[in-house]
Each structure stands twice: as C-alpha cells, then as structure tokens.
Amino acid sequence: QKEVEQNSGPLSVPEGAIASLNCTYSDRVSQSFFWYRQYSGKSPELIMSIYSNGDKEDGRFTAQLNKASQYVSLLIRDSQPSDSATYLCAVLPGGSNYKLTFGKGTLLTVNP
Amino acid sequence: DADVTQTPRNRITKTGKRIMLECSQTKGHDRMYWYRQDPGLGLQLIYYSFDVKDINKGEISDGYSVSRQAQAKFSLSLESAIPNQTALYFCATSDPGKETQYFGPGTRLLVL
C-alpha cells in the first residue's frame, strides 16, 4: 500500500508568521509531488508542484523536496487569515499511471 | 464558465434509491476521475477513466458504477444508496503526460 502521511493538525500560526506543512511518502520511486489547498466545503485547488530535489518558490509559497528522506514540505511566508484551509499533499507513485495518492490533509489556521 | 462542472451540487436521497451524479468538462482532457471525501479521511478514488473506452476501478468502487458517455462527460451512479455513502463527491480531470488534476466544485450527498 503506497501511503502519504500528513500531520492532521490543526496547525495554528499568528498572522505574518511562517507556516510549515509536512508530508512523508512511502513509495521510494515516486515521481511528482503536489500541494493542494482546500477551503471548507470547497474543491481542492493546486498551489504548487515539485519534481526535483530542492526548493521551488512561487510568491509566498515554497515547496521543498527531499527524495532521499521521502519528505516534501510547504512553507507559507507572511501567513494571512485567508490562508486558513486544509492543505493536501499528493504524490504520484512510481508506475502509477497517473493515479495520485492524497494525504488526509493538514488544517491550517492563521490567527489575526 | 467553470472548466469542470458537477450536477447536482447538493442531493438528499433515501436508502435504496438509485441516483446519478454527473460531471462535464470543457478542458479537453482525456482523463477523468471520481473521488469521495469524508471528514478526516482525505480523498478516496472511486473510479477513473483514461479515455472513453477505458474505465478502471479505484480504491472504493463497491456500490458504485460509472459511465463515460463522451470525452467530456463522466457519470457516477449509486445503484442502491446507503447511509454510509453520505459524503462529498468530486470529479477531476487531467491531461495525459501532465499529472495535475483539476477538480469540479463537488456534490454534497446525504443518504437518509
């Protein structure tokens, strides 16, 4: 069973702080990694994708990938109350034929 | 107009009834997916289709069936609804060679 693990939270940070969201995965040959944001009752929307070891930055968001440690993270700088949502980590396992495996999500609350 | 639409958005039905959830997309993607989401359980794949003639079971297909009427349409049926099928259902699409999935707005289903 190929698994994707996330801390369910809730993770609570003050406005303006850095929020750090973490995800580990079990399939060592996983190829691609995604972070989705989901507001309560709404559909997931893609924030970041990352394919290579290292950091990838997009505005206030930075995704970090370490394939040796089977670990992917999402940093949100200058957190805003509007960032309050559940963040889903998704992994494309090796040989999966494009079936993503989703983690259960981490609930982030940014306090004004 | 939204690229991926789902109808109905909300549905209340009774145990034993047959219901159909519909998904349409204007993104021109070949691949379509049906997920259910329960609180605290993340997204679970029900069925997926990589083209009109290709239908595959996901993790939790029991009690569900699907029909791919055209490239743009993928329907999910509950043959005889039961209360534990109460959940939020999402349709998603993706393009071959690109792993990013795009989600519809969801259908909230309540089975009494």
Side-chain angles (χ1 to χ4, degrees), chain B residues 73-89:
Chain B
K73 296 185 181 296
F74 192 34
S75 300
L76 175 72
S77 294
L78 285 68
E79 298 301 325
S80 180
I82 56 176
N84 77 358
Q85 291 177 313
T86 293
L88 187 54
Y89 289 84

Side-chain angles (χ1 to χ4, degrees), chain A residues 36 38 43 92 97-99, chain B residues 31 33 37 50 99 101 104:
Chain A
Y36 284 83
Q38 186 177 25
S43 59
L92 186 68
N97 203 15
Y98 298 100
K99 287 191 298 168
Chain B
R31 300 181 173 193
Y33 310 80
Q37 188 175 41
F50 283 173
E99 306 91 343
Q101 292 188 14

Side-chain angles (χ1 to χ4, degrees), chain A residues 14-79:
Chain A
E15 184 174 355
I18 296 175
S20 177
L21 304 161
N22 304 315
C23 173
T24 59
Y25 59 94
S26 62
D27 185 2
R28 185 170 293 278
V29 297
S30 294
Q31 307 169 33
S32 308
F33 308 85
F34 305 86
W35 283 100
Y36 284 83
R37 178 176 63 200
Q38 186 177 25
Y39 292 112
S40 181
K42 303 296 184 182
S43 59
E45 56 178 327
L46 181 71
I47 298 176
M48 296 279 288
S49 58
I50 186 166
Y51 307 98
S52 304
N53 280 328
D55 295 358
K56 179 181 179 183
E57 185 174 322
D58 184 0
R60 296 186 295 112
F61 299 97
T62 299
Q64 299 175 318
L65 175 61
N66 184 325
K67 289 186 178 181
S69 299
Q70 295 176 233
Y71 176 94
V72 58
S73 64
L74 179 70
L75 301 178
I76 306 175
R77 292 182 301 281
D78 188 24
S79 295

Side-chain angles (χ1 to χ4, degrees), chain A residues 8-20:
Chain A
S8 62
L11 174 65
S12 183
V13 300
E15 184 174 355
I18 296 175
S20 177

